[in-house]
Amino acid sequence: MTDTPKVIAIDGPAGSGKSTVARAVAARTGLPYLDTGAMYRSVAFAALRAGVDPDDAELVGNLACGMELEMPADGTVVVDGTDATIEIRGPEVTRAVSIVAANPTVRTEMRRRQRAWAAEHGGGVMEGRDIGTVVFPDAVLKVYLDAQPEVRAARRSKEVSDLSYETVASDLARRDALDQGRDDSPLREADDAFVIDTSDLTVEQIVDAILEQLP
Ligand code: DC
């Protein structure tokens, strides 16, 4: 454990290439990787499993604070002892997650856990929506990935082959609006973020550009 965790913050909207790029940056730098979106998805999963209405801010906040969450390096996600790796990516959780992520109690608790994770690991590549703006404003490097909306929707619809492009595109637009419009830590570029439009770039080109920025 070091005093100042070396954090590379990678933020951006859904379909911007964040997860793929963040994993690749982690592999190239040897730093551990944390998908903070999976943490918010885990809260939504816990609420749905408990039969709690995602709009019930108090109950969902309590669930988030009491939730036992394990995210080992192999990518599995275990919520209160149940393997939720597959279900947190499913349509029910995806529909509920933006509401849950706008809950201030949930955000405070997830931020606390993210900072604890970075302290424990001496830093890492952290992917999310508010890592460079709020969670680690002193990150050694802040990256904001974006892409044209139709490119992002096309990427997402490849991942969820059972949904039509139109359904994926409208869901993405709805989530963008919720993530950017919420009061608590809305999605936005940090003033000093390195911004990349990934629409026409390969993963390798993006990762190379990011590594060139490392101090
Ligand atoms: O990246 P993702 O689609 O798995 O994120 C799931 C949701 O969690 C998304 O609606 C935005 C939210 N989120 C957030 O508000 N803050 C983060 N640091 C990460 C994700």
Side-chain angles (χ1 to χ4, degrees):
M1 192 156 119
T2 58
D3 290 334
T4 317
K6 179 183 174 175
V7 170
I8 300 177
I10 303 189
D11 290 314
S16 59
K18 273 192 326 284
S19 300
T20 310
V21 168
R23 281 199 189 91
V25 169
R28 294 263 298 266
T29 55
L31 289 167
Y33 161 73
L34 184 68
D35 171 3
T36 66
M39 299 174 74
Y40 291 95
R41 287 175 178 273
S42 297
V43 178
F45 169 84
L48 293 173
R49 198 174 59 144
V52 166
D53 180 353
D55 276 309
D56 189 325
E58 194 177 338
L59 282 182
V60 174
N62 290 343
L63 267 178
C65 295
M67 179 178 71
E68 199 182 298
L69 178 61
E70 294 158 70
M71 294 176 68
D74 67 1
T76 53
V77 177
V78 181
V79 180
D80 293 322
T82 300
D83 186 337
T85 314
I86 306 285
E87 262 184 283
I88 61 163
R89 307 286 164 199
E92 287 174 32
V93 167
T94 299
R95 260 194 304 274
V97 70
S98 292
I99 302 293
V100 166
N103 180 321
T105 310
V106 172
R107 297 205 73 80
T108 302
E109 174 63 13
M110 294 305 115
R111 268 180 227 139
R112 186 190 69 71
R113 293 185 188 216
Q114 288 152 17
R115 290 178 181 132
W117 178 88
E120 193 181 313
H121 291 82
V125 180
M126 302 182 70
E127 170 217 330
R129 299 288 193 290
D130 63 342
I131 307 303
T133 48
V134 177
V135 185
F136 279 101
D138 297 328
V140 289
L141 179 61
K142 298 174 204 172
V143 178
Y144 187 90
L145 298 184
D146 208 348
Q148 302 302 318
E150 54 280 13
V151 172
R152 299 198 284 114
R155 285 175 183 160
R156 267 295 141 102
S157 59
K158 260 196 215 155
E159 287 166 19
V160 281
S161 51
D162 48 336
L163 297 177
S164 71
Y165 171 84
E166 285 72 25
T167 306
V168 172
S170 70
D171 182 58
L172 213 78
R174 184 186 63 86
R175 283 214 286 148
D176 282 354
L178 286 167
D179 291 343
Q180 289 162 2
R182 65 177 176 233
D183 291 333
D184 188 340
S185 46
L187 170 66
R188 65 169 187 84
E189 303 162 19
D191 293 337
D192 51 351
F194 176 56
V195 181
I196 310 179
D197 183 333
T198 67
S199 303
D200 300 316
L201 298 176
T202 65
V203 173
E204 202 178 13
Q205 286 171 323
I206 302 163
V207 173
D208 285 344
I210 290 172
L211 294 181
E212 269 174 32
Q213 296 294 317
L214 264 182

